[in-house]
Amino acid sequence: MIISTIQPGDTIQSFIDLIHSGGGGVLNFNPTGTYNVTSDITLYDNINLNGNGSVLDFGGGAFTIKASGSNVYTDGTITSINGGVNVIGDTTLWLSNVIPFVSQFFFNGQWMMIAGVVDDITLVLAEGYDGPTFSSGASYRIATPIQHTKLENLTIRNSTTNGVTVSDSRFLDINTTVIQNCVNGVNGQ
């Protein structure tokens, strides 16, 4: 894990990229101050931004902090989940679009790791589905979610879009972070 410290005037994204290349870690904002941001900030797996009370000021620009997964697949529907782990699809092409132990299955507000792909219409989950019963033809989502990201002790302000934009994220922790004067605070799925 890399622990790095940034100061006002430094480029936040270059520090995040460095931490990401080392497998993740913490970016500490020190000294506490206002950091003017003039572009989007992209987060990756295992990144913790610890503001130590600092402000990220987008200066009225259409910039955001992005936490987004990748490799999204949503074609077809699911007909059943047998025994909590065997997912049966309809008009799905999972053999060419799913990577076991990388891709994850999202259904009824729950992410589950995919352990295997039997054929184009059958998945095996590593984490069992324990949600409510559902009707055949249900929508689902498969993606490689961004995981284990954290924003803490920050104020995010003055974006003409979202302060934070999230899609396909698992284990995102926004702790003691205030979002001010942004069109939306946190927007995503």
Side-chain angles (χ1 to χ4, degrees):
M1 173 168 53
I2 295 175
I3 299 175
S4 190
T5 301
I6 190 168
Q7 298 178 352
D10 290 340
T11 305
I12 296 169
Q13 190 64 56
S14 63
F15 277 79
I16 292 171
D17 292 346
L18 175 69
I19 293 168
H20 172 62
S21 70
V26 179
L27 178 56
N28 288 304
F29 291 74
N30 192 12
T32 299
T34 297
Y35 293 76
N36 297 311
V37 182
T38 57
S39 63
D40 288 338
I41 296 172
T42 301
L43 299 178
Y44 305 100
D45 290 345
N46 306 310
I47 299 290
N48 175 353
L49 300 185
N50 184 350
N52 293 311
S54 290
V55 174
L56 299 181
D57 193 328
F58 290 114
F63 310 120
T64 187
I65 297 174
K66 293 180 182 181
S68 301
S70 60
N71 304 314
V72 176
Y73 183 80
T74 60
D75 290 354
T77 60
I78 59 172
T79 60
S80 64
I81 303 178
N82 300 323
V85 295
N86 296 308
V87 181
I88 307 301
D90 182 36
T91 65
T92 54
L93 297 172
W94 289 335
L95 276 173
S96 58
N97 291 289
V98 175
I99 303 168
F101 294 104
V102 174
S103 301
Q104 296 191 29
F105 181 78
F106 185 77
F107 182 68
N108 274 345
Q110 184 178 350
W111 281 106
M112 294 151 280
M113 178 66 71
I114 297 170
V117 182
V118 176
D119 53 37
D120 273 335
I121 63 165
T122 309
L123 296 175
V124 178
L125 301 176
E127 302 168 277
Y129 173 70
D130 61 2
T133 57
F134 59 92
S135 300
S136 179
S139 298
Y140 70 96
R141 189 173 184 87
I142 291 175
T144 304
I146 184 172
Q147 299 187 78
H148 307 287
T149 52
K150 187 173 186 177
L151 303 173
E152 62 181 332
N153 304 314
L154 279 168
T155 296
I156 300 165
R157 69 178 183 205
N158 298 326
S159 172
T160 58
T161 183
N162 308 311
V164 179
T165 302
V166 179
S167 66
D168 301 306
S169 176
R170 190 172 186 188
F171 310 118
L172 170 64
D173 183 3
I174 300 176
N175 186 16
T176 59
T177 295
V178 176
I179 301 174
Q180 302 173 328
N181 302 323
C182 298
V183 172
N184 293 304
V186 177
N187 189 15
Q189 54 190 22

